[in-house]
Amino acid sequence: MTEKVEQVDQIVRVARDAWQAAPPIGDGAYLAFGERLVASVGERWPELARANSADLEAGRRRGFPEPLLERMSLSERHLDQLRGLASSVAAQLPDLVSPGPAVEGPAGVRSRRLPKPLGVVLMVYEARPTVTLEGALLTVSTGNAAILRAGKEVSTTTAAFARAVSAAVEAAGLPAGMAQVVDDPDRRLLRGLLGRHDAIDVLIPRGSPSLIDYCYDATRIPVIASGGGVNHLYLHRSADLRLAAVAALDSKLPAPAGCTSLEMVLVDEPATARFLAELGAALRERAWPPFTLRLPAGLVEAAAVEGLTAEPIGDVDDGREFLDPTLALRQVSGPDEAIAHIARHGSGHTEAVFATADEPVQRFCRLVDAATIVVNGSLRLNDGPTMGIGAELAISTNRLHVRGPVTMDALLTRGWVVEGGGALRDDLPPPRLVKPAEQAFEPVRPAAKPAPAAGARAAVSTAVRRLVIRESRLSIQADDLREDEPLNGPLLKINSLGFVGMLVRLEDELDVTLPDELLVGRRFDTVRDLVDVVAGSVPSAGGELR
């Protein structure tokens, strides 16, 4: 453990020293970094492709599901996307780092806002290796020092990216520690970094709900994160249903596990039959990938068309991220019922409304609480470049600092420069001060952590069931979940994308260290499989957890 503490100290010290030694934002070195990063990655592309192939092959041997392998994979299009991202950054950066307009106060005092970097930014993410490049480019270009920690499943690719990023930092003339790619997957290192609120200014986690929830609970570092993508599309009876059907498919099938992916269609009851007919027509007109539609049992027969598997919907499908080509549909009486359903089951990420009438659109936009609301369009329009607001690093459901696409502007803070011109405060009229009313304050004390049950396996079973329920975003109790329930079946939707966050939380809750083979990729068919393997790794003495 001492070795990991020293490693964490080294990482944060290098990052802090680099940030303090870096040139001010607006310096040409930051524009040069984007150019050098594209060149460095391009020169090393054969090496990166080989490293990625090794990770993919290892993933296939370990039985990774196809959506995870797709997230892990690199192709030439990613290199093209990096070039486009670097061009976008270069175009936006000069305006972003310019001082704001001056504001004049009494006696000629002039003030203006001056953009400054946030400081040291820690990014924690799982399977998508391109986040390493995106995180380095956007974070460093805005004058921040980046610590980038990817998941173990792409460790070979991450190590190759680390060399490319380091070479770009050096070629741009920036301090060597401005971008550190951490390729050590040891979870003790992650815990150590999360504990360094004294040296890390911002944490940006990207990944499964369990990983993000764990980061919120385990750190005092300010967090910018998504709350998951339980997203809905409400179809008002006045909607253009042909357009709505195509938009629903576009919102789901190209990226079924994406954070802006559509999970449930809420359709006014009188428009349901017409919408299903238009959905069938849209499927016949274009070669969409096959998918599953879950809808009320009485509509299953009407929805049976080629390319679509119709199944009865269940209560467990409310508030659920399917993370695969599965879409749900429910009928509602009108806007108010749709809005109430979203308030109860949505995650505040992306919601959409289709209507030609103005009143339901305005009501939806006023009352739905989401980072982004799309009107008469695909949910995948919630994207910085598509919205015309620039390159994005993530999509935030936070309420403070940034909500929606996390663009480069969100990686800056703004202080004030006051040009006094010799003015003294005593020469100015005294400000009028209003004393706030005194209020009694009762400090909130954290609840005591419950002691584990007497039996090690019983405690593990309860913890595992509670976590898979949370990962599947279900509203049931742990005692109501059977151990023979499939992890990826009608009730639960657990794939390997969530195992990293789940297991690091299990380690903390049970005060154990779990073996590395429990990380992403190991196959578990039922809750019992996971409980047995975790319980088997928990040292016990007389049945007690250590």
Side-chain angles (χ1 to χ4, degrees):
M1 190 63 184
T2 302
E3 176 188 348
K4 294 302 174 185
V5 171
E6 292 174 353
Q7 190 176 355
V8 169
D9 288 343
Q10 172 71 8
I11 291 170
V12 298
R13 182 169 59 250
V14 167
R16 205 79 200 170
D17 290 348
W19 180 65
Q20 291 174 345
I25 55 173
D27 189 276
Y30 296 112
L31 283 174
F33 173 68
E35 298 172 358
R36 300 295 185 269
L37 183 61
V38 170
S40 180
V41 171
E43 292 166 1
R44 292 170 171 79
W45 191 254
E47 173 193 349
L48 293 167
R50 288 192 299 271
N52 187 243
S53 295
D55 283 331
L56 291 173
E57 181 57 32
R60 292 188 185 96
R61 288 196 304 269
R62 296 167 66 184
F64 284 21
E66 197 58 38
L68 175 57
L69 292 171
E70 184 178 339
R71 284 192 174 205
M72 291 169 54
S73 64
L74 283 179
S75 66
E76 289 285 346
R77 69 181 176 86
H78 291 115
L79 184 56
D80 292 338
Q81 288 172 356
L82 178 62
R83 294 189 184 106
L85 185 63
S87 296
S88 176
V89 168
Q92 298 172 57
L93 202 55
D95 288 339
L96 283 176
V97 300
S98 298
V103 178
E104 188 164 334
V109 174
R110 293 170 59 85
S111 305
R112 56 192 173 92
R113 301 191 80 175
L114 195 64
K116 295 288 183 70
L118 295 176
V120 176
V121 177
L122 169 62
M123 286 196 67
V124 180
Y125 44 100
E126 291 174 318
R128 202 183 295 273
T130 53
V131 177
T132 299
L133 300 179
E134 297 164 5
L137 176 58
L138 271 66
T139 304
V140 173
S141 294
T142 45
N144 299 284
I147 301 173
L148 306 163
R149 196 269 190 188
K152 183 177 181 178
E153 63 276 10
V154 288
S155 58
T156 309
T157 310
T158 300
F161 273 147
R163 294 187 287 273
V165 171
S166 295
V169 169
E170 181 181 359
L174 292 168
M178 283 296 282
Q180 297 180 79
V181 181
V182 180
D183 55 9
D184 184 344
D186 193 312
R187 297 188 296 283
R188 291 175 297 173
L189 188 62
L190 172 59
R191 291 189 184 88
L193 290 170
L194 293 179
R196 293 305 302 270
H197 62 276
D198 60 314
I200 298 173
D201 299 288
V202 180
L203 168 63
I204 305 178
R206 286 184 58 173
S208 66
S210 286
L211 175 65
I212 292 170
D213 288 347
Y214 176 77
C215 287
Y216 271 119
D217 293 345
T219 189
R220 291 168 59 189
I221 303 169
V223 178
I224 298 175
S226 166
V230 182
N231 307 318
H232 302 80
L233 172 61
Y234 167 56
L235 303 182
H236 185 258
R237 64 197 70 194
S238 71
D240 180 335
L241 295 177
R242 167 56 63 91
L243 180 60
V246 176
L249 295 173
D250 182 76
S251 298
K252 181 64 179 183
L253 298 183
C259 64
T260 58
S261 175
L262 175 63
E263 304 300 342
M264 179 172 285
V265 176
L266 302 170
V267 57
D268 277 357
E269 190 167 350
T272 305
R274 289 185 294 133
F275 171 69
L276 290 175
E278 294 292 358
L279 192 66
L283 288 170
R284 289 189 293 270
E285 291 174 0
R286 176 177 164 183
W288 294 96
F291 72 104
T292 298
L293 179 64
R294 295 186 175 178
L295 69 173
L299 298 173
V300 168
E301 185 175 347
V305 297
E306 187 176 353
L308 183 158
T309 301
E311 298 177 352
I313 194 171
D315 291 342
V316 297
D317 295 317
D318 293 319
R320 182 171 182 176
E321 272 189 284
F322 292 102
L323 300 174
D324 63 18
T326 300
L327 185 61
L329 181 147
R330 283 203 182 279
Q331 295 173 297
V332 293
S333 59
D336 288 344
E337 187 177 352
I339 291 167
H341 182 99
I342 292 169
R344 186 163 57 252
H345 299 292
S347 59
H349 196 289
T350 308
E351 304 291 350
V353 55
F354 261 79
T356 56
D358 184 63
E359 195 280 333
V361 170
Q362 296 304 320
R363 185 169 183 79
F364 191 92
C365 292
R366 285 197 309 270
L367 297 180
V368 169
D369 181 20
T372 302
I373 295 174
V374 178
V375 178
N376 292 328
S378 168
L379 275 72
R380 294 195 301 130
L381 297 179
N382 185 12
D383 169 76
T386 303
M387 294 165 64
I389 58 176
E392 73 175 35
L393 193 56
I395 295 178
S396 169
T397 54
N398 287 18
R399 295 186 181 278
L400 298 180
H401 184 67
V402 57
R403 198 174 196 206
V406 181
T407 59
M408 288 200 300
D409 182 65
L411 299 175
L412 295 167
T413 185
R414 285 164 179 81
W416 288 93
V417 174
V418 180
E419 299 171 0
L424 303 177
R425 178 63 183 270
D426 286 347
D427 296 337
L428 304 178
R432 182 184 177 188
L433 300 178
V434 179
K435 183 179 179 180
E438 293 186 2
Q439 298 181 6
F441 175 73
E442 182 66 27
V444 178
R445 296 178 175 84
K449 186 175 180 179
R457 194 189 184 286
V460 170
S461 178
T462 299
V464 167
R465 283 180 287 154
R466 186 163 55 242
L467 285 176
V468 297
I469 288 170
R470 185 173 187 171
E471 181 77 6
S472 297
R473 298 192 178 277
L474 300 177
S475 300
I476 62 175
Q477 300 300 313
D479 290 343
D480 298 328
L481 182 66
R482 303 189 314 272
E483 284 195 3
D484 61 357
E485 190 69 46
L487 282 173
N488 197 349
L491 180 63
L492 299 175
K493 271 294 179 182
I494 302 296
N495 58 31
S496 56
L497 298 180
F499 282 155
V500 172
M502 289 172 59
L503 291 172
V504 76
R505 186 180 289 276
L506 279 170
E507 287 183 325
D508 280 359
E509 181 163 342
L510 300 173
D511 191 21
V512 297
T513 299
L514 299 174
D516 284 345
E517 60 265 24
L518 285 180
L519 288 176
V520 176
R522 182 160 178 169
R523 298 189 70 86
F524 302 98
D525 293 328
T526 66
V527 174
R528 180 175 291 111
D529 294 339
L530 183 56
V531 172
D532 287 343
V533 173
V534 174
S537 69
V538 175
S540 59
E544 297 292 333
L545 288 172
R546 64 176 172 85

